[in-house]
Amino acid sequence: QAQLVESGGGLVQPGGSLRLSCLASGFTFSRYAMSWYRQAPGKERELVAAITSSGTSIDYADFVKGRFTISRDNLRATVYLQMNSLEPADTGVYYCNARFMASYWGQGTQVTVSS
């Protein structure tokens, strides 16, 4: 069955960087738009970045523009989120989502930005 596995989270100091990965299996990855969401403690899940199936169109939430970059490798069935200039407000659980004929979610990876 369809599965998304996120990795790359961890503890980082303000101003640092992390690269998240999301490995997909069990469905035709290249047909699915992919997104990264995050959920901070006590808050609703919010969209961070999205990329179309071909990678030709990308959108970012205003609060990450210029700091985060989403990309995908359809041969490796993987979507990435490069996060630079991290701030404490970026702390949360980061989830990847695949959307086309169905919607799939990963289990999430924790990102903590703290000194």
Side-chain angles (χ1 to χ4, degrees), residues 22 28 30 33 61 77 93 103 113:
C22 174
T28 306
S30 60
V93 179
S103 180
V113 184

Side-chain angles (χ1 to χ4, degrees), residues 8 10 21 24 31 34 40-41 45 52 69 71 89 97 100 105 110 113:
S21 300
R31 294 187 178 182
M34 299 298 298
R45 192 173 296 188
T52 54
T69 302
S71 62
N97 171 260
F100 176 47
W105 291 90
Q110 176 70 45
V113 184

Side-chain angles (χ1 to χ4, degrees), residues 3-6 22 45 94-98 104-108:
Q3 190 173 17
L4 297 172
V5 179
E6 300 98 334
C22 174
R45 192 173 296 188
Y94 283 69
Y95 300 89
C96 68
N97 171 260
Y104 306 120
W105 291 90
Q107 83 291 345

Side-chain angles (χ1 to χ4, degrees), residues 20-24 29 71-80:
L20 306 183
S21 300
C22 174
L23 176 63
F29 178 80
S71 62
R72 67 187 295 159
D73 184 337
N74 284 350
L75 293 179
R76 290 181 169 83
T78 302
V79 63
Y80 304 98

